């Protein structure tokens, strides 16, 4: 099965498809070789897939390429899709696996900054006051991103899916194929790791001051 021409279109130029179209019908048509039907699936889901990939990789061009790789893999693997999960869940799982593959190929971790705002991660913390007592908010956010880049991918992805993609625990469990309890544990550990590292930095900064 050859990939449809639409996959090669740069992500920003893909238009949004009609919300009235039904994923299940488009999948069936796509499995029958209908490239136009698959192009509609690409148009419907490309933005959220790209957002997930970009949050994981933090490089626009690289995220663009991996997003297209995701849809190519989905097109080539359509015959294996049985409808046990929603098409979007199946697609995000492919995107996540493509991200992991890309991350494994990197020799350095410095490019893995996740653009997650501090206010999404430091629950019940007065972030503006915290930032003003340590450094300017811009520098503080850069510090947060720097420490986030040190988190293992398994922690980073649950933060992205939960706080930026606004997915439920059930949706995350389907995509990552791990129990909800494990997801909650990863979120708890990720937040604590970030909080501990930031508090350590602040303490050192105050001591130096």
């Amino acid at each position: 099965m050859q990939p449809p021409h639409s996959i090669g279109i740069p992500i920003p130029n893909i238009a949004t498809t009609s919300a009235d179209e039904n994923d299940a019908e488009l999948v069936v048509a796509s499995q029958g070789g209908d490239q136009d039907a698959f192009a509609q699936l690409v148009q419907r889901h490309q933005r959220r897939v790209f957002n997930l990939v970009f949050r994981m990789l933090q490089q626009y061009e690289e995220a663009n390429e991996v997003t297209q790789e995701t849809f190519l893999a989905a097109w080539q693997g359509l015959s294996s899709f049985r409808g046990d999960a929603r098409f979007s869940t199946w697609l995000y799982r492919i995107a996540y696996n493509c991200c992991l593959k890309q991350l494994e190929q990197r020799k350095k971790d410095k490019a893995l900054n996740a653009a997650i705002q501090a206010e999404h991660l430091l629950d019940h913390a007065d972030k503006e006051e915290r930032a003003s007592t340590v450094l300017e908010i811009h520098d503080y956010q850069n510090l947060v991103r720097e420490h986030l880049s040190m988190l293992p991918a398994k922690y980073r992805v649950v933060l992205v899916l939960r706080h930026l993609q606004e997915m439920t625990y059930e949706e995350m469990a389907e995509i990552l194929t791990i129990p909800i309890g494990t997801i909650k544990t990863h979120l708890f550990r990720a937040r604590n790791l970030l909080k501990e590292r930031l508090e350590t930095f602040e303490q050192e900064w105050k001591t130096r001051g």
Side-chain angles (χ1 to χ4, degrees):
M1 181 180 287
Q2 295 297 317
H5 176 71
S6 61
I7 289 181
I9 299 177
I11 291 301
N13 295 332
I14 297 179
T16 303
T17 191
S18 170
D20 294 330
E21 293 291 343
N22 183 283
D23 273 2
E25 295 177 356
L26 292 174
V27 168
V28 171
S30 300
Q31 288 175 325
D34 188 337
Q35 295 185 5
D36 289 336
F38 189 75
Q40 292 183 60
L41 288 170
V42 173
Q43 292 166 358
R44 170 174 286 189
H45 296 284
Q46 58 86 21
R47 184 178 298 276
R48 283 177 63 84
V49 169
F50 177 80
N51 286 341
L52 168 60
V53 173
F54 180 73
R55 298 298 181 181
M56 287 292 294
L57 302 181
Q58 276 298 294
Q59 289 187 4
Y60 181 84
E61 293 300 328
E62 190 175 62
N64 200 1
E65 293 175 3
V66 172
T67 298
Q68 294 189 36
E69 178 185 343
T70 296
F71 284 107
L72 177 60
W75 171 257
Q76 294 175 337
L78 272 176
S79 60
S80 66
F81 179 69
R82 303 301 181 189
D84 297 330
R86 290 183 301 173
F87 175 76
S88 60
T89 298
W90 181 73
L91 184 62
Y92 297 147
R93 187 180 302 154
I94 293 175
Y96 171 61
N97 288 332
C98 287
C99 285
L100 290 184
K101 178 182 176 182
Q102 186 67 23
L103 293 178
E104 289 171 358
Q105 293 175 349
R106 289 180 176 180
K107 295 180 179 180
K108 296 181 180 180
D109 198 41
K110 64 181 181 180
L112 302 182
N113 294 328
I116 303 176
Q117 300 300 321
E119 59 265 29
H120 289 149
L121 303 174
L122 302 178
D123 293 340
H124 311 298
D126 188 344
K127 290 166 289 298
E128 290 187 1
E129 180 179 352
R130 181 192 296 265
S132 66
T133 60
V134 180
L135 64 171
E136 295 297 327
I137 186 64
H138 176 72
D139 291 336
Y140 186 75
Q141 290 175 338
N142 286 339
L143 176 65
V144 171
R145 295 190 183 99
E146 179 182 349
H147 284 286
L148 279 169
S149 72
M150 301 175 188
L151 294 179
K154 65 180 181 180
Y155 292 157
R156 189 162 54 251
V157 70
V158 293
L159 290 171
V160 170
L161 291 176
R162 181 64 175 172
H163 294 288
L164 292 175
Q165 300 296 90
E166 298 182 347
M167 292 187 178
T168 65
Y169 291 121
E170 290 75 15
E171 290 172 327
M172 294 168 65
E174 284 189 278
I175 292 169
L176 303 178
T177 63
I178 58 178
I180 291 177
T182 302
I183 290 174
K184 291 181 178 180
T185 298
H186 285 179
L187 281 169
F188 177 79
R189 289 177 178 172
R191 291 176 182 135
N192 280 348
L193 280 173
L194 183 62
K195 183 178 180 181
E196 289 172 4
R197 289 173 179 176
L198 291 174
E199 287 178 346
T200 297
F201 174 86
E202 289 176 10
Q203 189 60 42
E204 292 175 353
W205 187 89
K206 291 177 180 178
T207 300
R208 291 196 301 267

